[in-house]
Amino acid sequence: MWRRAASLSPFISSSGSLIRNHQTAYNFKIWESFTTEIPTQVKGGKGPFICFVLGGPGSGKGTQCAKIVKNYGLTHLSAGELLRREIASNSEYGTTILNTIKEGKIVPSEVTVSLIQKEMESSDSKKFLIDGFPRSEENRAAFERIMGAEPDIVLFFDCPEEEMVNRVLNRNEGRVDDNIDTVRKRLQVFKALNLPVINYYARRGKLYTINAVGTVDEIFEQVRAVFAALKLVTE
Ligand SMILES: Nc1ncnc2c1ncn2[C@@H]1O[C@H](COP(=O)(O)OP(=O)(O)O)[C@@H](O)[C@H]1O
Ligand SMILES: Nc1ccn([C@@H]2O[C@H](COP(=O)(O)OP(=O)(O)O)[C@@H](O)[C@H]2O)c(=O)n1
Ligand SMILES: [Mg+2]
């Protein structure tokens, strides 16, 4: 059974703000997410449930996705991981992808969507967590065109820039893009190309903005509130 979020979660007020007293890092209009009532059925059609996970570099997407997987059993597809795997496999696109990532730019959408498509089509899962995608309007349009699907919900991990920079520089995963020059570029790309996508989903009433400052567990409590309120993936 699916119920409206507004009446269920302490984090989601009926006046429309997801996290009370939360000043967003990008002066984001989080109330927009709730000006549209959430549909009475989360998944009306035949396709799988799709949750996009967005946020700047180092905002904690991957960390929170791991907890979502553990608690709710969604299948996690990280666009960045799929691209890094492609580089490691010496595919024909490997060099282009590597150079694009080093520059902090966005890999052509057809490449990324086809990697996501392959994973989704070879999986039996009915619920996907797609992390770090769509990074641009072009990504978004390509996914809709190629997959013929839209996300059911979008989580946005909203984090101040300096916090993101600190986290990335301390990530220690040996990534070619975790250095100060590339991070600065990625932040510019995030603001120029990804914020418009986030705004788009806010206007569509699909966006859930999470305050990404705090401990991992504190942040996950906000995520839990969204999933609990939607009652969509635990049954
Ligand atoms: N709430 C948090 N507070 C401090 N550090 C965090 C938090 N969440 C994640 N991190 C750390 O910050 C870095 C970036 O997190 P990650 O999940 O990889 O972010 P993203 O996927 O958005 O780039 C990692 O080293 C991670 O361990
Ligand atoms: N949809 C995507 C996702 C990632 N990428 C590339 O992969 C890089 C790393 O993405 P990521 O999602 O692993 O990075 P984080 O935000 O997790 O730090 C991005 O900076 C882009 O260069 C892309 O081009 N298109
Ligand atoms: Mg990540």
Side-chain angles (χ1 to χ4, degrees), residues 8 20 39 69 72 74 88 119 163 177 179 198 230:
L8 289 170
R20 275 176 281 223
V69 167
Y72 298 105
L74 279 80
E119 294 298 313
E163 175 70 18
D177 52 347
N179 59 75
I198 291 164
L230 292 172

Side-chain angles (χ1 to χ4, degrees), residues 143-200:
F143 185 88
E144 283 181 21
R145 187 178 69 249
I146 295 167
M147 301 300 294
E150 289 188 32
D152 295 276
I153 65 168
V154 178
L155 297 180
F156 167 42
F157 289 93
D158 182 42
C159 195
E161 291 188 14
E162 287 317 301
E163 175 70 18
M164 291 195 269
V165 171
N166 283 336
R167 289 184 191 174
V168 165
L169 296 183
N170 288 300
R171 181 152 46 189
N172 286 327
E173 289 179 3
R175 281 173 49 171
V176 292
D177 52 347
D178 282 355
N179 59 75
I180 188 66
D181 289 346
T182 311
V183 171
R184 292 281 173 217
K185 288 179 190 162
R186 290 163 70 196
L187 284 172
Q188 292 310 314
V189 168
F190 171 70
K191 284 187 280 190
L193 301 183
N194 212 341
L195 282 180
V197 177
I198 291 164
N199 254 313
Y200 169 85

Side-chain angles (χ1 to χ4, degrees), residues 58 60-63 78 80-81 84 131-132 135 171 175 186:
K61 300 181 294 299
T63 303
S78 158
E81 290 295 336
R84 286 186 285 275
D131 164 8
R135 282 289 221 281
R171 181 152 46 189
R175 281 173 49 171
R186 290 163 70 196

